[in-house]
């Protein structure tokens, strides 16, 4: 059994391959090939543009693949969503497709753009967005460099953004969010109905989700006397509940939990003040919930 997995080529490629590596599966790419090997002999990868991923998964050329929810919706195809993976090119958050206009334009809302030209790569979603508001517009496909088109080549754009910095740099102003999007692991219905392939896809989803959840978090171990345990637990935020184990000295227990890495600076001195000892912070690769 071979599972054919699509890796998004382009802006998400490096972050996706890094995610696979953190999940425990190394992906070996070559600048001369669209095919990639992995450490798992049952998984082979192919680099495909995110915009085309849904089509190739639907056709069965790929069993599953990673692409944005935006491109799945844009394709209009019915695919299985095996997992939502909240990561992007620069961050772990979702991205937004926004309606943006020149800073000095009079437009304040979608309705102000009636009979105007909108440039975007996300044509179908944009058409549906304006149609739902009964606003007649002309939506033109943009082959790239969309930010530079207003006001000469278009009156407004619908463009993807994480931080908004590129839009601001091109003197554009966001007036509405058209949709939010995150990366998804999608599968075709035939592969999902195959018991072996489905288990492999579900395992892949489990490990990728575990790697994402671990990012920005660290493990924390400490020892504390039972008499002081309540004070330590009052300081600790926990994933669910911290693990508490009895030590060889029955007066002491070990506490193990997971915290946000950014909170360690504040929490560790508080734990020491609450009489915790032997406090150890350690990195995490995966957290499987």
């Amino acid at each position: 059994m071979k599972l054919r997995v699509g890796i998004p080529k382009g802006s998400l490629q490096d972050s996706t391959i890094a995610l696979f590596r953190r999940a425990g599966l190394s992906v070996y790419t070559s600048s001369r090939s669209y095919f990639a090997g992995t450490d798992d002999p049952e998984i082979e990868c192919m680099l495909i543009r995110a915009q085309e991923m849904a089509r190739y998964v639907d056709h069965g050329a790929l069993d599953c693949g990673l692409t944005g929810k935006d491109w799945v919706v844009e394709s209009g195809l019915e695919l299985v969503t095996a997992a939502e993976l909240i990561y992007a090119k620069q961050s772990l958050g979702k991205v937004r497709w926004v309606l943006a206009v020149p800073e000095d334009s009079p437009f304040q809302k979608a309705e102000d753009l009636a009979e105007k030209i909108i440039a975007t790569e996300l044509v179908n979603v944009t058409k549906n967005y304006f149609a739902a508001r009964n606003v007649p517009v002309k939506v033109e496909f943009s082959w790239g460099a969309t930010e530079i088109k207003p006001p000469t080549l278009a009156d407004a754009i619908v463009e993807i953004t994480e931080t908004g910095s590129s839009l601001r740099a091109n003197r554009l102003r966001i007036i509405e969010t058209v949709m939010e999007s995150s990366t998804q692991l999608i599968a075709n219905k035939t592969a999902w109905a195959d018991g072996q392939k489905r288990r492999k896809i579900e395992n892949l989803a489990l490990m990728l989700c575990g790697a994402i959840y671990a990012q920005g978090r660290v493990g924390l171990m400490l020892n504390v006397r039972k008499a002081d345990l309540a004070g330590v637990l009052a300081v600790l935020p926990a994933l669910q509940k911290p693990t508490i184990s009895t030590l060889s000295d029955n007066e002491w227990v070990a506490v193990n939990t997971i915290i946000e890495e950014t909170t360690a600076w504040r929490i560790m001195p508080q734990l020491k003040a609450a009489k915790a000892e032997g406090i150890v912070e350690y990195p995490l690769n995966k957290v499987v919930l």
Side-chain angles (χ1 to χ4, degrees), residues 86-156:
I86 308 295
Y87 77 101
K89 180 181 177 182
Q90 299 176 13
S91 67
L92 292 179
K94 293 184 177 182
V95 297
R96 294 187 298 153
W97 283 88
V98 298
L99 178 61
V101 296
E103 286 179 347
D104 57 359
S105 77
F107 309 122
Q108 298 298 324
K109 56 185 184 300
E111 287 72 12
D112 296 337
L113 291 161
E115 307 299 339
K116 302 300 183 183
I117 297 174
I118 316 298
T120 184
E121 285 186 79
L122 204 68
V123 172
N124 293 328
V125 170
T126 300
K127 285 181 177 178
N128 292 337
Y129 179 80
F130 280 96
R133 288 157 178 76
N134 295 314
V135 179
V137 295
K138 182 179 180 181
V139 179
E140 294 184 344
F141 179 74
S142 173
W143 292 92
T146 307
E147 296 98 328
I148 70 169
K149 293 186 175 178
T152 307
L153 303 176
D155 298 291

Side-chain angles (χ1 to χ4, degrees), residues 15 165 176 207 237 286:
S15 56
S165 59
E176 292 185 15
M207 299 302 278
K286 291 175 284 296

Side-chain angles (χ1 to χ4, degrees), residues 35-81:
F35 294 92
T38 74
D39 291 334
D40 188 330
E42 293 184 343
I43 295 179
E44 58 185 22
C45 297
M46 188 173 184
L47 302 176
I48 298 290
R49 283 173 56 84
Q51 295 91 326
E52 301 177 295
M53 190 71 72
R55 183 169 75 250
Y56 290 118
V57 171
D58 181 65
H59 289 175
L62 298 168
D63 296 306
C64 61
L66 285 83
T67 189
K69 177 183 177 181
D70 44 5
W71 298 117
V72 177
V73 175
E74 177 74 3
S75 74
L77 298 169
E78 292 186 11
L79 297 159
V80 177
T81 301

